Amino acid sequence: GAGVSQTPSNKVTEKGKYVELRCDPISGHTALYWYRQSLGQGPEFLIYFQGTGAADDSGLPNDRFFAVRPEGSVSTLKIQRTERGDSAVYLCASSSSGQGFDTQYFGPGTRLTVL
Amino acid sequence: AQSVTQLDSHVSVSEGTPVLLRCNYSSSYSPSLFWYVQHPNKGLQLLLKYTSAATLVKGINGFEAEFKKSETSFHLTKPSAHMSDAAEYFCVVSDPRTGGFKTIFGAGTRLFVKA
């Protein structure tokens, strides 16, 4: 079946603008995760959802970052007043159930560039 | 607090020789540990995971890792490298207090395989 998809694959924006990044998880997966991967570093946990609720958002760097998953499937990561330091690859992953150690399946990422 | 350290940023081996990628973790609790691989222009893929069962874990593509609590290590090995193993490898620890959902990635080790 289809894997995790993310759109857009690339996003270039100007400092101060608002952006939305979309993640479509594997159908039926209840857990969804967002990560940020800066150049030369490992992915950094941002937030994860169980169903529609954000079960842990402790990785969001500040209040400019927000994520939603209104119907328990597709998720959108929203970044307000973008800064150059937000430039990174944003990864989404999903896993099948309420077992925290389930395999996470990753999407290809959205490369965000803030000019 | 949990953390993970990958001891080498780059490892270079010849095809057919053994691979050793080193990972040390710090955790106040019994962690779950993972290795992921990231090929260029592809998404992260799980190689193997340790979740408090057998300490020697076998994964895909001939990789295995051994959990050593006394050394707080979870090194990744493969007896014979193949050209297709060239990629970035990430050691990951998850926090059992959160049900294992919140994960911390190491900085990564880039594996080069010479013909």
Side-chain angles (χ1 to χ4, degrees):
Chain A
V4 177
S5 63
Q6 293 185 245
T7 53
S9 56
N10 282 283
K11 176 71 177 178
V12 180
T13 191
E14 294 179 343
K15 180 176 179 296
K17 299 290 189 182
Y18 168 83
V19 297
E20 290 189 351
L21 311 179
R22 176 187 169 107
C23 173
D24 279 273
I26 293 173
S27 178
H29 279 193
T30 60
L32 184 146
Y33 315 77
W34 283 100
Y35 296 85
R36 177 170 68 175
Q37 187 173 18
S38 299
L39 192 62
Q41 298 183 23
E44 173 192 17
F45 171 87
L46 296 178
I47 185 171
Y48 89 84
F49 290 86
Q50 266 295 6
T52 60
D56 187 334
D57 64 357
S58 61
L60 294 176
N62 52 60
D63 61 7
R64 296 186 298 106
F65 288 75
F66 189 70
V68 296
R69 195 185 184 199
E71 298 178 356
S73 178
V74 171
S75 176
T76 304
L77 178 65
K78 307 180 180 191
I79 310 174
Q80 299 177 321
R81 304 182 305 280
T82 53
E83 300 177 357
R84 292 193 179 89
D86 298 335
S87 296
V89 176
Y90 289 81
L91 299 170
C92 176
S94 68
S95 67
S96 60
S97 75
Q99 294 287 337
F101 312 116
D102 279 347
T103 298
Q104 293 185 29
Y105 295 87
F106 282 81
T110 294
R111 182 176 299 279
L112 176 66
T113 303
V114 182
L115 301 177
Chain B
Q2 304 220 356
S3 65
V4 60
T5 302
Q6 293 184 243
L7 299 169
D8 306 291
S9 59
H10 299 84
V11 169
S12 182
V13 300
S14 296
E15 191 174 23
T17 64
V19 175
L20 171 64
L21 306 183
R22 298 183 294 164
C23 173
N24 285 103
Y25 69 91
S26 173
S27 176
S28 302
Y29 303 85
S30 296
S32 287
L33 294 155
F34 310 77
W35 277 97
Y36 280 83
V37 61
Q38 188 174 39
H39 289 274
N41 301 316
K42 291 189 176 180
L44 283 155
Q45 180 184 21
L46 179 71
L47 277 178
L48 49 81
K49 61 182 174 182
Y50 165 78
T51 57
S52 76
T55 56
L56 181 62
V57 182
K58 294 187 183 299
I60 62 172
N61 300 334
F63 285 94
E64 63 181 37
E66 186 171 7
F67 174 71
K68 291 187 176 181
K69 186 174 181 179
S70 61
E71 299 176 10
T72 62
S73 69
F74 190 58
H75 301 335
L76 182 70
T77 60
K78 182 173 180 177
S80 176
H82 192 273
M83 295 296 290
S84 61
D85 295 328
E88 186 94 22
Y89 291 79
F90 294 97
C91 182
V92 183
V93 63
S94 70
D95 186 345
R97 295 169 298 169
T98 67
F101 288 101
K102 185 172 180 178
T103 54
I104 299 169
F105 279 69
T109 298
R110 181 161 295 277
L111 176 65
F112 297 93
V113 182
K114 299 173 290 187

